[in-house]
Amino acid sequence: MVLQKRLDYGFNGYQVPYTPRATRSARKRCSFKKRAEDNQMCAFDLLATVAGKLLLEKQCTPSSSSTPSDEDQSAVAKEIEQKAMQDKNKQLKVETCDQGSCDRGFFVSDLVSQAHDQKCSLKPPSCQQADAHPGFASVITTSDCSEGFGDQKLVHGKPKNEMGTLASKVEVGPSGYMGYGNCKVEAETNKFMKDESHKTAKVQLGTRADGCSFEDPLVWDGKPPAVSSDSSAKAPLCGDHSPHISFPASQDYVNVVSRDDDENSSGCTHPNTTKRSFRPAPRIGDRRIRKILASKYWKVAPKLKDATLSNTDGDLKTVYHNRNSYYRSIRSERNYPIKKRRLFNCSSVPNYDRKIRSEGICVSPERCINGDVSALCAKMHEVTGASSSVAGSHTSFQSRDSHVKLRIKSFRVPELFIELPETATVGSLKRRVMEAVNAILGGGLRVGVLLQGKKVKDDNKTLLQTGISHDNQKDVLGFSLEPKTSQTPPPLCSGDSPFMLPSNAPQPLARYPPAPGVVHQGTCDAVPELQMANAVNFIESDHDSAPSPTDMSIDKSTKDSKALVTVPAMSVEALAVVPVHRKSKRSEIVQRRIRRPFSVAEVEALVQAVEKLGTGRWRDVKLRAFDNAKHRTYDKWKTLVHTARISPQQRRGEPVPQELLDRVLTAHAYWTQQQAKQQFKQQPETCLLL
DNA sequence: CTTAGGG
DNA sequence: CCCTAAG
């Protein structure tokens, strides 16, 4: 399995390898967008980068990197420098932080370099004003909040510089939003910081706190005081509100990221955390932030510019105002989405990830564009793969405006059948399970997207085109883990994944449901139940559609495969299908029929039945092959015959093993011949009779 | 209602 | 998968 370190963002709950895409707005605004893309930074990285840049730029960059070409910039740089001078300590800290905290120390340097580059590439300051960004915040904060800083200093007991650093960090991270918040909230914020820089982070971030220790206060979101208080109070609870995005300074970033990873790996999420995280996000996320997130951070550079520019003058005021307005707007926005968010939150996605994800993806729904959506799709796929190790999955789907929010709570581990002698040791059992799991995961998994039970096979379709962009999809969207390899152990079923049903196991072998716990750990409060329910529902819904596993098991081959460690069997296909909500049932009813693709196992059964019974007795064939499946018709046979006749390249959908197709042709030819013979016989008879 | 065939 | 026709 490959866990990606940066999960960055995810959709609701996944770790997704970041694929940089810029929102339209981003593109428009930023000329360097391309650059950003090239860099392909993850959201976190971007954020961090931005923050780093801001900091760096303020202090260092100006002189070193400033792109001389623009006078304005140089002027800005001067200002920045001045500021930097004022906050020498800040600079120091920043650097220190970077180094100390982390892995990403290099990151900083990268950022810097990037920043420089960006600067170079940056357009004249004027362009970015509107968007002005994080840099602004920092700037603003600095100037406006000088007092506040002082307080902070006192509080912390650390030198001003440090405080300043923090502040700056905060500001930066939030994309400036923080700065705003700081100004207002300074006192409160300071308190938090004083008491526990880390804790503060918690309070603000909430989410973070749970999963991880925040080493750096940086993360703090620039909440307005009121908010902060709320968050603190609510912190423990799941935050249903807006995501809190904290932009950490680079360090925080790192931490966060790692956490995500951890969480992901563990598969657990702390609801509380998540919620919190959400809240903050909005605040923090100014438009700018959102943009950043949405754009995936490319815009950072512009921000820097903006920041610089803003710094220059009275711009600060303007900026400040803008922020306020931003803030308000944000707030209002928040309210609107709360429901959705709640849903979102409810989902079991790992909190931490959520934050980030939410940030990355959702933060700026507005900004998200179709393009992003498609990106999301891609991400989703990727994500699934990443999280495949975990078992059952649940997805909550949300869409707002043009974005699609997805959260996969977890993937369910496919059932594993393991047989061990009673005398086997627990250790051997563990190893066995491990082997089985590794076999499944190691084989390579691919993610299947199910919409209303239908597999979405065209990867090139956009979410919008697929119909995933609507809220109503929420209940119908599912993900499945499937073996990449077309290896199809004969009978075990797939797509419909009858395996999921516990009741199905007719097999004598002892079953060791692989760490069932894995699946749900992360869920939020209610979530776990939901998941379970979902799973159940899913199964149920599937049940009618899916061939009864029992039948499947009847097959010799099936048994055999199961007899083994059965890993392969498991891998056969959809390890786990995702969830259909209860509503899905309704929707099913409402929506007519849902497509129920034949699994390889079903095909196998069908072929076997036809081989034995022939093509003229569909009823018997169906009963034999699909047992309870009312919906299964001989249509599949027609399709199979057709499929077998066409070239593999022309085939679509779930790949059917060539071996089966060969059998299909053989059986079809045979029975066709038989029918012909019968007719031939009959005719003569009739003739004779006549 | 079951088969078949076409769309 | 839907619709329809033939048995």
Side-chain angles (χ1 to χ4, degrees), chain A residues 7 9-17 260 263-270 274 278 343-355 357-358 361-362 376-398 404-413 446-450 463 468 473-474 476-482 518-524 527-528 530-531 534 575-581:
Chain A
L7 305 177
Y9 65 48
F11 294 87
N12 306 310
Y14 320 37
Q15 297 179 344
V16 180
D260 286 350
E263 288 181 0
N264 288 343
S265 63
S266 65
C268 302
T269 305
H270 299 279
T274 306
F278 279 79
L343 294 177
F344 205 83
N345 292 339
C346 291
S347 63
S348 61
V349 178
N351 12 353
Y352 194 47
D353 291 353
R354 285 183 187 177
K355 290 180 178 179
R357 294 168 185 176
S358 62
I361 296 172
C362 307
L376 291 179
C377 287
K379 290 178 180 180
M380 291 180 60
H381 290 287
E382 292 179 0
V383 171
T384 0
S387 59
S388 62
S389 61
V390 182
S393 65
H394 174 76
T395 307
S396 66
F397 184 80
Q398 287 188 346
V404 177
K405 297 179 182 179
L406 297 172
R407 177 192 292 171
I408 295 173
K409 292 180 180 178
S410 61
F411 283 99
R412 168 172 274 185
V413 172
R446 69 180 179 195
V447 174
V449 175
L450 298 143
L463 292 181
I468 294 178
Q473 305 295 355
K474 193 194 304 179
V476 218
L477 184 63
F479 294 90
S480 62
L481 296 181
E482 307 164 351
V518 173
V519 176
H520 302 287
Q521 296 174 347
T523 57
C524 291
V527 176
L530 288 177
Q531 277 190 339
N534 289 343
L575 296 180
V577 177
V578 180
V580 181
H581 226 284

Side-chain angles (χ1 to χ4, degrees), chain A residues 16 25 44 75 101 120 157 177 232 261 263 297 392 445 457 553 555 607 642 684:
Chain A
V16 180
S25 62
F44 289 142
S101 55
C120 294
Y177 183 93
S232 64
D261 292 353
E263 288 181 0
Y297 329 117
L445 290 170
K457 297 174 182 177
S553 64
D555 289 16
V607 172
H642 176 259

Side-chain angles (χ1 to χ4, degrees), chain A residues 246-265:
Chain A
S246 54
F247 289 64
S250 59
Q251 291 180 349
D252 281 8
Y253 236 168
V254 171
N255 292 340
V256 171
V257 172
S258 63
R259 289 178 185 177
D260 286 350
D261 292 353
D262 293 348
E263 288 181 0
N264 288 343
S265 63

Side-chain angles (χ1 to χ4, degrees), chain A residues 309-334:
Chain A
L309 295 174
S310 65
N311 290 342
T312 20
D313 286 353
D315 287 299
L316 294 177
K317 280 188 177 182
T318 306
V319 173
Y320 184 78
H321 288 294
N322 290 344
R323 288 187 177 180
N324 290 338
S325 62
Y326 270 142
Y327 182 73
R328 291 172 193 167
S329 63
I330 293 169
R331 267 192 162 184
S332 62
E333 286 180 330
R334 269 192 205 163

Side-chain angles (χ1 to χ4, degrees), chain A residues 254-554:
Chain A
V254 171
N255 292 340
V256 171
V257 172
S258 63
R259 289 178 185 177
D260 286 350
D261 292 353
D262 293 348
E263 288 181 0
N264 288 343
S265 63
S266 65
C268 302
T269 305
H270 299 279
N272 296 345
T273 307
T274 306
K275 291 178 180 180
R276 292 177 184 178
S277 61
F278 279 79
R279 290 182 181 178
R283 297 171 185 172
I284 294 170
D286 254 359
R287 270 191 180 179
R288 295 173 184 176
I289 294 170
R290 292 179 182 178
K291 288 180 179 179
I292 295 171
L293 294 176
S295 62
K296 300 181 179 179
Y297 329 117
W298 321 353
K299 297 182 177 180
V300 171
K303 290 180 179 179
L304 292 176
K305 293 178 180 179
D306 291 349
T308 353
L309 295 174
S310 65
N311 290 342
T312 20
D313 286 353
D315 287 299
L316 294 177
K317 280 188 177 182
T318 306
V319 173
Y320 184 78
H321 288 294
N322 290 344
R323 288 187 177 180
N324 290 338
S325 62
Y326 270 142
Y327 182 73
R328 291 172 193 167
S329 63
I330 293 169
R331 267 192 162 184
S332 62
E333 286 180 330
R334 269 192 205 163
N335 295 339
Y336 167 63
I338 288 176
K339 287 183 179 179
K340 290 181 179 180
R341 287 179 182 174
R342 280 189 179 182
L343 294 177
F344 205 83
N345 292 339
C346 291
S347 63
S348 61
V349 178
N351 12 353
Y352 194 47
D353 291 353
R354 285 183 187 177
K355 290 180 178 179
I356 296 170
R357 294 168 185 176
S358 62
E359 293 177 357
I361 296 172
C362 307
V363 171
S364 55
E366 301 168 356
R367 308 213 164 180
C368 292
I369 304 172
N370 296 342
D372 288 356
V373 173
S374 60
L376 291 179
C377 287
K379 290 178 180 180
M380 291 180 60
H381 290 287
E382 292 179 0
V383 171
T384 0
S387 59
S388 62
S389 61
V390 182
S393 65
H394 174 76
T395 307
S396 66
F397 184 80
Q398 287 188 346
S399 66
R400 194 209 267 182
D401 293 343
S402 54
H403 341 209
V404 177
K405 297 179 182 179
L406 297 172
R407 177 192 292 171
I408 295 173
K409 292 180 180 178
S410 61
F411 283 99
R412 168 172 274 185
V413 172
E415 270 188 1
L416 297 177
F417 299 93
I418 299 172
E419 186 175 24
L420 292 175
E422 290 181 349
T423 55
T425 63
V426 173
S428 65
L429 171 59
K430 288 180 180 176
R431 280 194 299 275
R432 207 64 175 280
V433 173
M434 193 44 142
E435 289 172 2
V437 172
N438 286 337
I440 294 173
L441 297 178
L445 290 170
R446 69 180 179 195
V447 174
V449 175
L450 298 143
L451 190 57
Q452 295 179 350
K454 228 177 168 181
K455 270 196 179 180
V456 178
K457 297 174 182 177
D458 189 346
D459 291 347
N460 296 324
K461 275 189 180 179
T462 64
L463 292 181
L464 190 63
Q465 290 174 328
T466 310
I468 294 178
S469 56
H470 301 291
D471 289 358
N472 54 11
Q473 305 295 355
K474 193 194 304 179
D475 298 335
V476 218
L477 184 63
F479 294 90
S480 62
L481 296 181
E482 307 164 351
K484 268 187 182 176
T485 55
S486 57
Q487 41 166 307
T488 42
L492 290 188
C493 42
S494 43
D496 291 342
S497 70
F499 292 99
M500 292 183 66
L501 299 178
S503 60
N504 291 345
Q507 305 138 2
L509 300 180
R511 280 191 183 182
Y512 298 84
V518 173
V519 176
H520 302 287
Q521 296 174 347
T523 57
C524 291
D525 330 354
V527 176
E529 293 180 0
L530 288 177
Q531 277 190 339
M532 294 303 292
N534 289 343
V536 173
N537 290 341
F538 176 77
I539 293 169
E540 287 178 357
S541 62
D542 238 3
H543 200 17
D544 49 338
S545 65
S548 67
T550 310
D551 291 350
M552 299 303 296
S553 64
I554 292 173

